[in-house]
């Protein structure tokens, strides 16, 4: 920006509407070039958006303020073609200097885009504010006269971000925080490089009021209209008019919505929220209409209307009290009756608010499907689950329905198999059968336990005493059959698969607070195709689901947008910092498609999922980043878009946070009577099914496909890709041991003589002062770990496609991973996959056999399987005992160390005798068929 005295021209470009598609896919990537008096500024590119929002402020130097009326401001809108030399023209606007306003008198004006030539194809309009100010205007004058309260908070966040981003060079137009929302490329480079995002100071973003502060997201202005009821006074002879069916209608430019139909003087109490930036009119007209049923047709007639100028609507920001509704007298346009109609009043409230308003959640929303229930934002709670352990001890006085004859008893060994079946809701368990005598009165003691998932039993840890219960005869048994008794005991357990926060009876007070702001997504792919199957004309109705502990949250659905902006914020209590927060994006299949779209899907489609571990976050800092949304398809990995999140983990007490690291992960009963791996898998599946059933009955429901995807219910399924990923994870961990072994081998082979000499001195020092060995080793470890602090991975987690091993498998292996159970593939494909799995299992079988053989050789040293080898081992132990007894330990240790580090000139090429002896020890491999 040019400096100097005089005046400055300020140009605020807010947004554009209904641009002409120019990229061949039904969208356009628009940017604006502004020219004034030889000065040129270019704004950011808004990718694939026909209704881009810039909200950028540009400043130009006015060299001659007296001749400003003769100047011209020109704005040209172009479509950004990444790989083309020339960009496509979208329209232009020329503004004469005589129309420039002073500071405080400016207005937001939407100028229609003009053609550059006769052959230009241009449509749409652009919203601009143009005004001029002195070179050094008072700082408060702009904030008070121009900036609304919601924008002041945005500027505060922008200043905070500008102050902490010291690595970025200073430019004339610094990027704002809300501009990063629509242009995620600013942080895309940081995300691709292990998410090296810049943590923002949380102290400068403290909330101004209790509850959800909405300081991690942008506050979006909305026009709220709450219509309560209408009333009209009549004479006694016209009292029948009270039974008329009426409704209220709101018309703002291209928006036309209505309330439900009700009787006159009845309550509607419905709220409407219009995205203020998308309104294309300055007048809001609210009318009351009568609905008449004419049999085949329904007619409507206006009873009265009232209009509001949007520039005069009051503003309200939380936590202000709700705006009180008022009665407005409607103006009637009826000319049918010669007498003047009765006066009609309408009670309503109208204000400008944000998405933090308490009326926003239940209101009709212009950008999320209106009153559609399945598009609302809601919070959910998982049911409190317990594991019920039932131990069957014995039965007494059991009379069988049919007594077997002697021949069958002799054949069966004079014993009969008896079964016990336990059922809790839709779950049933049958322990292994127990054998008992076939006598009429018998008892058996299976002493087995059955585990089932229960909801809200008596508190965990309390065990009911072993009680005897009467067994009633079944319907197929004789009514005269005697009663039998069964003794059992029950004990509930808390589930190990949920967070410690799942049961506050077993948890301490929270150690911190997790705040997550879902700002928006960008560059989403079409999930619903058109009838002709064209991707370019498809649509996406995206919403995000967040889960931490027992609390779930769902954002509202933004209808038909590839760059949805949710700007919703949620909070969770943190009981254990070593836990994972999950967020996923889905396409809503329950939103009615627009005209011309294809069929609705049966289940919500997955777009992408992100996990963030809280222990990797710094406390009291804000992490703002765009995370790639990726999914695995039969054709490989596919990028579905990007999700922008703001995450903050706040901790009030460091002492409580440190103590939580030493607390046990599970309640006491899980260590006293632990569950086996197979039991945990079965119970985890039951718990996921119970949670999916409960959340599917909510309104709006969370489908089973959403719950199972968030809980990773399909993780135990076989996948060649995950198997390879886990193998390379193990190899990466063992690589440190391999590197240490290579370093030691380099010492003993004198690869670096100076290092080997220092190793000799280190061995000499360790033998001379053995009491200093452990403290010195610990201090070296501390120094090595401390030096790695600056190289730690920054950012707040996310998905690593390299570690997921997506690109290292074939298409057939990916198709096998995505195939359900039972398989739907042809028999020859299944046979080929089975043979491949057998080959892989064969290699794993050989590896397990080799590991077992090493342990068996160690065992053979003392079991005398090879008498000569065991005799040699005993003789070697006797000789070693004599040496250690006669020679001081320090001398022996020093001699062994120097012998191990001896020069290669004194070392042979063949393996050592001890290694050859160990390899000749017998194993059990020769006894296996």
């Amino acid at each position: 920006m040019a400096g100097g005295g005089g005046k400055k021209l300020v140009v605020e470009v807010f947004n554009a509407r209904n641009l002409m598609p120019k990229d061949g896919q039904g969208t356009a990537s628009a940017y604006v070039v502004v020219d004034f008096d030889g000065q040129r500024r270019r704004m950011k590119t808004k990718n694939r958006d026909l209704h881009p929002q810039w909200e950028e402020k540009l400043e130009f130097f006015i060299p001659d303020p007296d001749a400003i009326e003769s100047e011209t401001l020109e704005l040209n809108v172009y479509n950004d073609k990444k790989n083309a030399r020339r960009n496509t023209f979208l329209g232009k606007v020329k503004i004469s200097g005589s129309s420039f306003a002073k500071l405080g008198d400016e207005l937001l004006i939407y100028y229609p885009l003009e053609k550059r030539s006769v052959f230009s194809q241009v449509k749409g309009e652009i919203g601009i504010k143009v005004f001029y100010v002195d070179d050094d205007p008072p700082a408060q004058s702009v904030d008070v006269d121009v900036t609304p309260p919601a924008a002041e908070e945005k500027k505060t966040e922008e200043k905070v971000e500008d102050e902490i981003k010291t690595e970025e060079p200073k430019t004339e137009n610094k990027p704002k925080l809300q501009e990063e929302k629509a242009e995620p490329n600013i942080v895309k480079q940081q995300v691709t490089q292990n998410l090296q995002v810049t943590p923002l100071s949380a102290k400068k973003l403290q909330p101004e009021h209790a509850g959800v502060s909405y300081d991690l997201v942008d506050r979006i202005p909305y026009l709220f209209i709450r219509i309560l009821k209408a009333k009209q006074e009549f004479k006694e002879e016209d009292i029948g008019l009270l039974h008329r069916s009426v409704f209220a209608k709101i018309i703002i430019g291209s928006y036309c919505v209505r309330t439900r139909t009700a009787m006159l003087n009845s309550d509607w109490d419905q709220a409407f929220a219009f995205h203020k930036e998308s309104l294309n009119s300055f007048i809001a007209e609210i009318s009351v209409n009568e609905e008449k049923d004419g049999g085949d047709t329904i007619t409507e007639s206006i009873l009265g209307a009232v209009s509001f100028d949007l520039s005069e609507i009051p503003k309200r920001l939380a936590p202000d009290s709700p705006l009180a509704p008022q009665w407005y007298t409607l103006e009637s346009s009826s000319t049918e009756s010669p007498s003047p109609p009765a006066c009609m009043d309408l009670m309503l409230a109208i204000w400008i608010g944000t998405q933090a308003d308490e009326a926003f959640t239940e209101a009709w929303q212009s950008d999320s499907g209106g009153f559609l229930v399945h598009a609302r934002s809601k919070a959910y709670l998982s049911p409190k689950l317990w594991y019920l352990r039932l131990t069957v001890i014995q039965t007494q006085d059991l009379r069988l329905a049919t007594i077997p004859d002697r021949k069958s008893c002799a054949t069966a060994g004079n014993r009969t198999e008896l079964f016990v079946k336990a059922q809790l809701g839709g779950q049933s368990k049958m322990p292994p059968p127990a054998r008992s005598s076939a006598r009429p009165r018998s008892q058996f003691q299976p002493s087995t336990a059955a585990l089932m998932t229960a909801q809200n039993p008596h508190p965990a840890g309390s065990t009911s005493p072993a009680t005897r219960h009467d067994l009633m005869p079944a319907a197929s048994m004789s009514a005269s059959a005697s009663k039998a008794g069964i003794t059992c005991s029950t004990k509930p357990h808390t589930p190990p698969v949920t967070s410690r926060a799942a049961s506050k009876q077993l948890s301490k007070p929270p150690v911190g607070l997790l705040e997550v702001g879902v700002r928006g997504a960008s560059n989403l792919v079409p999930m619903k195709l058109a009838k002709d199957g064209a991707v370019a004309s498809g649509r996406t109705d995206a919403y995000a689901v967040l889960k931490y502990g027992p609390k779930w949250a769902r954002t509202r659905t933004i209808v038909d947008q590839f760059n949805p902006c949710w700007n919703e914020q949620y909070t969770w209590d943190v009981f254990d910092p070593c836990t994972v927060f999950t967020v996923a994006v889905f396409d809503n299949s329950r939103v009615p498609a627009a005209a011309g779209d294809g069929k609705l899907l049966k289940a919500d489609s997955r777009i992408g999922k992100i996990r963030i571990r809280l222990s990797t976050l710094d406390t009291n800092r804000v992490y703002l980043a765009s995370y790639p949304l990726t999914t695995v398809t039969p054709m490989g990995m596919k990028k579905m878009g990007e999700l922008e999140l703001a995450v903050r983990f706040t901790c009030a007490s460091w002492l409580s946070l440190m103590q939580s690291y030493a607390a046990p992960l599970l309640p006491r009963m899980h260590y006293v009577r632990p569950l086996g791996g197979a039991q945990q898998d079965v119970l985890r599946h039951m718990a996921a099914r119970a949670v999916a059933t409960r959340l599917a009955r909510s309104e709006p429901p969370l489908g089973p496909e959403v719950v199972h995807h968030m809980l990773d219910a399909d993780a135990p399924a076989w996948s060649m890709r995950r198997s390879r990923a886990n193998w390379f994870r193990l190899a990466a961990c063992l690589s440190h041991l391999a590197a240490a072994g290579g370093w030691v081998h380099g010492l003993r082979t004198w690869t670096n003589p100076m290092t080997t000499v220092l190793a000799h001195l280190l061995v000499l020092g360790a033998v001379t002062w053995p009491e200093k060995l452990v403290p010195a080793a610990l201090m070296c470890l501390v120094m090595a770990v401390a030096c790695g602090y600056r190289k730690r991975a920054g950012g707040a987690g996310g998905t690593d496609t390299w570690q997921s091993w997506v690109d290292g498998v074939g298409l057939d292996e990916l198709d096998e991973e995505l195939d359900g159970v039972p398989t739907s593939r042809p028999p020859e494909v299944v046979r080929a996959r089975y043979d491949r799995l057998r080959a892989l299992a064969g290699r794993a079988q050989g590896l397990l056999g080799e590991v077992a053989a090493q342990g068996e050789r160690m065992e053979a040293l003392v079991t005398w399987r090879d008498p000569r080898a065991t005799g040699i081992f005993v003789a070697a132990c006797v000789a070693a005992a004599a040496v250690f007894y006669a020679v001081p330990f320090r001398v022996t240790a020093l001699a062994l160390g120097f012998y191990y580090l001896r020069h290669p000139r004194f070392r042979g090429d063949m393996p050592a005798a001890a290694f050859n002896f160990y390899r000749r020890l017998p194993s059990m491999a020769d006894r296996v068929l």
Side-chain angles (χ1 to χ4, degrees), residues 773-794:
L773 180 61
V774 175
L778 293 178
M779 290 305 300
C780 291
L781 179 62
V782 169
M783 294 178 62
V785 173
C787 292
Y789 178 77
R790 297 179 60 88
K791 301 179 181 179
R792 71 189 188 279

Side-chain angles (χ1 to χ4, degrees), residues 709-845:
H709 183 57
M710 296 289 292
L711 297 178
D712 291 330
D714 57 346
W718 164 253
S719 170
M720 181 69 73
R721 176 185 60 84
R722 289 175 180 163
S723 300
R724 292 186 179 181
N726 294 335
W727 168 258
F728 283 101
R729 286 171 55 197
L730 178 61
C733 295
L734 297 179
S735 64
H736 302 290
L737 296 178
W743 181 76
V744 174
H745 181 73
L747 288 179
R748 65 191 299 265
T749 56
W750 291 69
T751 303
N752 189 345
M754 183 61 66
T755 305
T756 306
V757 171
L758 293 177
H760 282 78
L761 297 177
L762 181 62
V763 172
L764 180 61
V767 172
T768 307
W769 300 284
E771 66 278 0
K772 309 295 184 181
L773 180 61
V774 175
L778 293 178
M779 290 305 300
C780 291
L781 179 62
V782 169
M783 294 178 62
V785 173
C787 292
Y789 178 77
R790 297 179 60 88
K791 301 179 181 179
R792 71 189 188 279
T799 303
D800 192 339
T801 57
W802 185 84
Q803 289 188 355
S804 302
W805 205 254
V806 179
D807 299 330
V809 293
L811 298 181
D812 183 66
E813 295 173 347
L814 292 176
D815 183 72
E816 180 185 10
E817 177 182 351
L818 300 176
D819 188 15
V821 178
T823 181
S824 58
R825 300 299 183 262
E828 56 274 9
V829 175
V830 178
R831 186 180 299 109
R833 292 175 179 175
Y834 176 68
D835 294 339
R836 183 178 60 205
L837 183 60
R838 290 178 61 189
L840 178 63
R843 292 194 295 270
Q845 173 183 291

Side-chain angles (χ1 to χ4, degrees), residues 663-728:
L665 295 176
L666 301 174
R668 178 177 177 272
M669 190 53 62
H670 288 280
Y671 301 99
V672 176
R673 301 191 65 179
L675 304 177
Q679 289 178 327
Q680 291 187 17
D681 291 339
V682 173
L683 294 174
R684 186 180 291 108
H685 176 72
M686 292 181 179
R689 187 170 59 182
V691 172
T693 303
R694 173 66 68 87
L695 297 183
R697 301 178 61 184
S698 305
E699 193 67 30
L702 276 181
E705 69 281 359
V706 176
V707 177
H708 285 91
H709 183 57
M710 296 289 292
L711 297 178
D712 291 330
D714 57 346
W718 164 253
S719 170
M720 181 69 73
R721 176 185 60 84
R722 289 175 180 163
S723 300
R724 292 186 179 181
N726 294 335
W727 168 258
F728 283 101

Side-chain angles (χ1 to χ4, degrees), residues 6-7 62-69:
K7 296 182 179 181
I62 302 178
D64 187 4
D66 298 332
I68 189 174
E69 295 184 357

Side-chain angles (χ1 to χ4, degrees), residues 80 102 122 185 326 333 340 352 377 399 493 536-537 589 625 629 641 643 675 818 884:
D80 192 356
K102 296 182 180 179
V122 172
N185 295 330
Q326 300 179 8
S333 59
I352 300 293
S377 59
R399 181 183 295 274
H493 295 250
S537 57
S589 63
L629 298 174
L643 177 65
L675 304 177
L818 300 176
F884 279 103

Side-chain angles (χ1 to χ4, degrees), residues 536-552:
S537 57
R539 57 180 288 170
T540 298
D541 307 318
Y543 69 94
V545 178
L546 305 89
K547 180 191 180 299
Y548 179 72
K551 180 182 176 181
W552 300 59

